[in-house]
């Protein structure tokens, strides 16, 4: 079998076009959705993500109140900025790009963001609501994965999904979203403490690879016809590229595409969906603030 490649770039464009239409409708009522993306320092991957997010904001017709701060910004300065943005009613969403420099306590920063403006869905109030199935901002990457499965018409009910990774941003939330009644997967979560990972992954109908390491999933671990969602973004040196690197995922794409039924490429799979769902959440934050829908 040769897998159908899931075009995350195209699906993300469709989601973003839908958001842009609703933004235009909201603007006609005098409300322009506004997001503040905060970047501290110059981590190259973070700079690239923030650039992509800001470009998407402009294309959706939203206001960009982003702040690019130097590496030596203190925790107090960052908390003061968040406090200011929390109180500013023209700002609907606040996102602090992670990871933060080591001298800043990430948990403290996430907790400082007003849950109503937490479009990343990282604040414990939103995490808690997500866990118990209440309306909340869903974290963008896991939500994007669910949208990809739905838009591709992939059957999920009763299927065995194996998630590799237990991060707060991807592994944990995607495990819970896949187990929701409307998705209805049986979910196994693997992590660095898992002993027989290859045996477990081989049983999967749906594999979500979010280990953060290249080639975590090899073709011998993939059941014929499985759906493979690759969340990895690993930079590896490549002298043929102007940038000096290229991106690869957490799976052995070339070999697995001969066995899987569906597979996401890297780049162009899950990544663009993260940005699309951020636009979706920012629109929702503005609609909530305006009490319209
Ligand atoms: N770093 C990696 N992914 C994300 C994300 O979705 N949001 C934020 N704020 N930082 C990240």
């Amino acid at each position: 079998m040769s897998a159908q490649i899931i075009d995350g770039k195209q699906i993300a464009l469709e989601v973003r076009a839908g958001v842009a239409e609703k933004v235009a409708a909201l603007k006609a009522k005098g409300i322009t959705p506004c997001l503040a993306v905060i970047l501290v320092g110059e981590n190259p991957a973070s700079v690239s993500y923030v650039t992509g997010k800001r470009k998407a904001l402009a294309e959706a017709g939203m206001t960009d109140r982003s702040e690019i701060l130097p590496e030596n910004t203190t925790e107090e300065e960052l908390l003061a900025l968040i406090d200011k943005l929390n109180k500013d009613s023209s700002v609907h969403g606040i996102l602090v790009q992670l990871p933060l420099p080591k001298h800043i306590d990430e948990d403290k920063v996430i907790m400082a963001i007003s849950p109503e403006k937490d479009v990343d869905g990282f604040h414990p109030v939103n995490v808690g609501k997500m866990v118990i199935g209440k309306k909340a901002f869903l974290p963008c990457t896991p939500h994007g994965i669910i949208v990809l499965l739905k838009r591709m018409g992939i059957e999920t009910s009763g299927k065995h999904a194996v998630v590799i990774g237990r991060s707060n941003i991807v592994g944990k939330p995607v495990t819970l979203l896949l187990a929701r009644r409307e998705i209805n997967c049986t979910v196994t979560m693997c992590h660095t403490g898992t002993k027989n990972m290859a045996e477990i992954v081989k049983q999967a109908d749906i594999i979500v690879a979010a280990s953060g390491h290249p080639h975590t999933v090899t073709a011998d671990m993939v059941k014929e016809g499985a759906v493979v969602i690759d969340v990895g973004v690993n930079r590896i040196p490549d002298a043929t590229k102007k940038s000096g690197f290229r991106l690869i995922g957490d799976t052995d794409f070339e070999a697995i595409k001969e066995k899987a039924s569906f597979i996401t490429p890297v780049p162009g799979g899950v990544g663009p969906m993260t940005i699309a769902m951020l636009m979706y959440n920012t629109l929702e934050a503005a609609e909530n603030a305006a009490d319209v829908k």
Side-chain angles (χ1 to χ4, degrees):
M1 185 187 273
S2 193
Q4 191 172 337
I5 311 295
I6 300 177
D7 189 347
K9 209 169 154 183
Q10 178 58 35
I11 296 171
L13 282 175
E14 289 164 18
V15 170
R16 284 166 58 180
V19 169
E21 264 181 41
K22 290 195 170 164
V23 168
L26 206 53
K27 277 171 135 175
K29 292 182 186 157
I31 302 141
T32 304
C34 169
L35 174 66
V37 177
I38 305 171
L39 172 65
V40 184
E42 290 167 8
N43 175 310
S46 292
V47 169
S48 158
Y49 295 146
V50 167
T51 304
K53 288 170 184 178
R54 299 185 71 182
K55 190 162 163 262
L57 271 182
E59 283 176 17
M62 300 194 200
T63 304
D64 181 353
R65 285 277 300 275
S66 297
E67 302 261 0
I68 311 299
L69 306 176
E71 178 82 22
N72 63 1
T73 301
T74 65
E75 188 178 282
E76 290 68 32
E77 286 167 333
L78 180 57
L79 292 172
L81 172 62
I82 292 170
D83 186 50
K84 186 184 87 176
L85 295 168
N86 278 339
K87 288 176 177 150
D88 185 338
S89 63
S90 69
V91 175
H92 304 107
I94 303 169
L95 176 152
V96 178
Q97 187 66 32
L98 303 179
L100 284 166
K102 293 217 175 355
H103 64 275
I104 301 178
D105 181 344
E106 245 168 47
D107 288 341
K108 212 164 162 182
V109 169
I110 290 170
M111 301 254 249
I113 298 169
S114 162
E116 294 77 36
K117 299 191 180 190
D118 168 40
V119 287
D120 253 335
F122 292 170
H123 190 287
V125 165
N126 283 314
V127 176
K129 285 182 174 173
M130 191 250 325
V131 173
I132 62 174
K134 297 285 174 216
K135 190 169 152 27
F137 292 116
L138 299 180
C140 302
T141 304
H143 193 191
I145 292 169
I146 299 296
V147 172
L148 283 181
L149 293 171
K150 283 187 179 167
R151 295 252 178 154
M152 294 307 292
I154 292 166
E155 180 63 69
T156 54
S157 187
K159 301 293 182 187
H160 185 193
V162 172
V163 175
I164 304 165
R166 58 178 153 191
S167 70
N168 289 339
I169 296 182
V170 184
K172 275 184 222 166
V174 82
T175 296
L176 286 159
L177 295 182
L178 287 165
R180 279 189 170 182
R181 197 172 292 274
E182 76 259 25
I183 305 296
N184 224 20
C185 284
T186 301
V187 194
T188 303
M189 186 201 275
C190 297
H191 45 70
T192 47
T194 302
K195 286 212 165 65
N196 49 344
M197 198 173 82
E199 292 311 309
I200 295 168
V201 176
K202 267 184 214 169
Q203 299 167 29
D205 302 305
I206 299 168
I207 300 166
V208 179
S211 62
H213 297 286
H215 297 282
T216 300
V217 179
T218 49
D220 58 301
M221 294 160 74
V222 177
K223 183 168 76 176
E224 195 74 39
V227 175
V228 179
I229 307 293
D230 191 339
V231 190
V233 266
N234 304 292
R235 288 184 172 208
I236 59 157
D238 185 341
T240 69
K241 302 279 181 196
K242 211 163 57 184
S243 60
F245 70 87
R246 69 188 161 93
L247 292 181
I248 63 166
D250 293 348
T251 73
D252 183 1
F253 178 87
E254 286 306 322
I256 293 173
K257 79 177 192 325
E258 302 307 323
K259 265 181 118 175
S261 56
F262 293 90
I263 187 166
T264 60
V266 177
V270 174
M273 293 303 292
T274 299
I275 294 185
M277 301 327 293
L278 174 64
M279 298 303 112
Y280 178 92
N281 281 354
T282 304
L283 169 67
E284 191 161 282
E287 286 177 340
N288 292 344
D291 207 14
V292 294
K293 192 78 187 182

